[in-house]
């Protein structure tokens, strides 16, 4: 199974909005509404921030939002804060009943 | 609150079998049709999905690891386990156990166990 595609890095100034893309195929991202996003701070386990394309778990800031168009899903972080500096991973269910992750995107707050 | 904790040897030699156990607390492993999952992360690299098991014992594995991986469950101990055989240095990683919820997403994670493969 092929990994999903994400930009290696995205940066923005405090208060700005940034978007991280996650591109797959019709057998994963494009075929199912089972795309999730994870935030990983240095030295910590990943944390679920978006599930089923555009849903936030309880306790996750509403500054995080998700969407999908065709084979590309997106994570938007609005009102960027210093604490948002982290690695972000997307994941998708696949037609093989398996899961695949993207390579991760390092978000930097300038 | 569901909690997961990985345990296992801190070092594995090349060609041997890597074995890890995930102990679940705060809920019974057979309380629902959850996917009890293993995910790994080589040092400085991204996440790789290894596979999952239902409490019934049904499993699904990453095709790239399928020939070497076995995931099992012990409902009496509220644990599930990972065996990865014929390991090489490329299998050096932090291994996480996690639970996928009904609606999507790996909602609960263990803290991770770093397993070096070295002679």
């Amino acid at each position: 199974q092929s990994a999903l595609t994400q930009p290696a890095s995205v940066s923005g100034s405090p208060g700005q909005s940034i978007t991280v893309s996650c591109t797959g195929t019709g057998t994963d991202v494009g075929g199912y509404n089972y795309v999730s996003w994870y935030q990983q701070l240095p030295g910590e386990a990943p944390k679920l921030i978006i599930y089923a394309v555009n849903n936030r778990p309880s306790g996750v800031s509403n500054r995080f939002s998700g969407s999908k168009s065709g084979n590309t899903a997106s994570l938007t972080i609005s009102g960027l804060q210093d604490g948002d500096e982290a690695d972000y991973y997307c994941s998708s269910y696949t037609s093989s009943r398996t899961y695949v992750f993207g390579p991760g995107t390092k978000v930097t707050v300038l | 609150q569901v909690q997961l904790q990985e345990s296992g040897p801190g070092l594995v030699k090349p060609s041997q079998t890597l074995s890890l156990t995930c102990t679940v607390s705060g809920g019974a492993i057979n309380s629902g049709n959850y996917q009890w999952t293993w995910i790994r992360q080589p040092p400085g690299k991204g996440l790789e999905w290894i596979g999952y098991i239902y409490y019934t014992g049904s499993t699904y594995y990453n095709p790239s690891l399928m020939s070497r991986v076995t995931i099992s469950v012990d409902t009496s101990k509220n644990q599930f386990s990972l065996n990865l055989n014929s390991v090489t240095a490329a299998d050096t990683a932090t291994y996480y156990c996690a639970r996928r919820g009904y609606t999507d997403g790996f909602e609960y994670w263990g803290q991770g166990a770093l397993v070096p493969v070295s002679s």
Side-chain angles (χ1 to χ4, degrees):
Chain A
Q1 58 185 20
S2 300
L4 308 175
T5 301
Q6 295 181 238
S9 63
V10 174
S11 62
S13 299
Q16 285 187 329
S17 291
I18 61 168
T19 296
V20 180
S21 62
C22 171
T23 301
T25 68
T27 60
D28 40 63
V29 174
Y32 306 91
N33 287 325
Y34 289 140
V35 176
S36 52
W37 290 89
Y38 302 85
Q39 177 193 61
Q40 188 176 33
L41 298 170
E44 296 189 9
K47 172 189 173 184
L48 178 67
I49 57 173
I50 295 288
Y51 66 91
V53 175
N54 57 10
N55 295 273
R56 279 186 311 276
S58 174
V60 172
S61 171
N62 60 9
R63 297 185 300 104
F64 295 93
S65 61
S67 63
K68 190 184 84 167
S69 177
N71 295 337
T72 298
S74 299
L75 170 71
T76 297
I77 308 175
S78 58
L80 198 62
Q81 300 177 358
D82 288 346
D84 298 331
E85 259 198 11
D87 293 323
Y88 291 83
Y89 295 90
C90 62
S91 176
S92 176
Y93 180 69
T94 82
S95 59
S96 302
R97 303 186 72 171
T98 61
Y99 294 86
V100 64
F101 282 97
T105 297
K106 184 174 183 60
V107 168
T108 301
V109 181
L110 301 172
Chain B
Q1 176 77 347
V2 174
Q3 293 184 310
L4 294 86
Q5 177 68 59
E6 305 88 353
S7 60
L11 179 69
V12 180
K13 290 181 167 51
S15 80
Q16 293 190 341
T17 297
L18 181 158
S19 297
L20 290 169
T21 295
C22 183
T23 301
V24 179
S25 60
I29 204 167
N30 59 359
S31 63
N33 215 28
Y34 299 108
Q35 294 172 358
W36 301 98
T37 300
W38 287 98
I39 293 163
R40 71 179 182 178
Q41 185 173 35
K45 297 187 178 181
L47 301 169
E48 180 179 29
W49 179 82
I50 299 172
Y52 66 80
I53 190 167
Y54 291 107
Y55 76 91
T56 56
S58 296
T59 53
Y60 291 88
Y61 300 132
N62 186 324
S64 68
L65 297 171
M66 188 179 297
S67 63
R68 299 193 293 130
V69 171
T70 303
I71 298 176
S72 57
V73 64
D74 187 335
T75 56
S76 68
K77 294 182 178 179
N78 228 36
Q79 296 176 334
F80 64 106
S81 299
L82 169 71
N83 274 1
L84 179 66
N85 59 38
S86 305
V87 297
T88 69
D91 295 309
T92 293
T94 295
Y95 287 77
Y96 294 100
C97 57
R99 189 188 90 172
R100 182 181 182 270
Y102 289 131
T103 51
D104 187 38
F106 303 107
E107 54 186 351
Y108 296 107
W109 294 68
Q111 65 185 27
L114 175 61
V115 183
V117 176
S118 174
S119 54

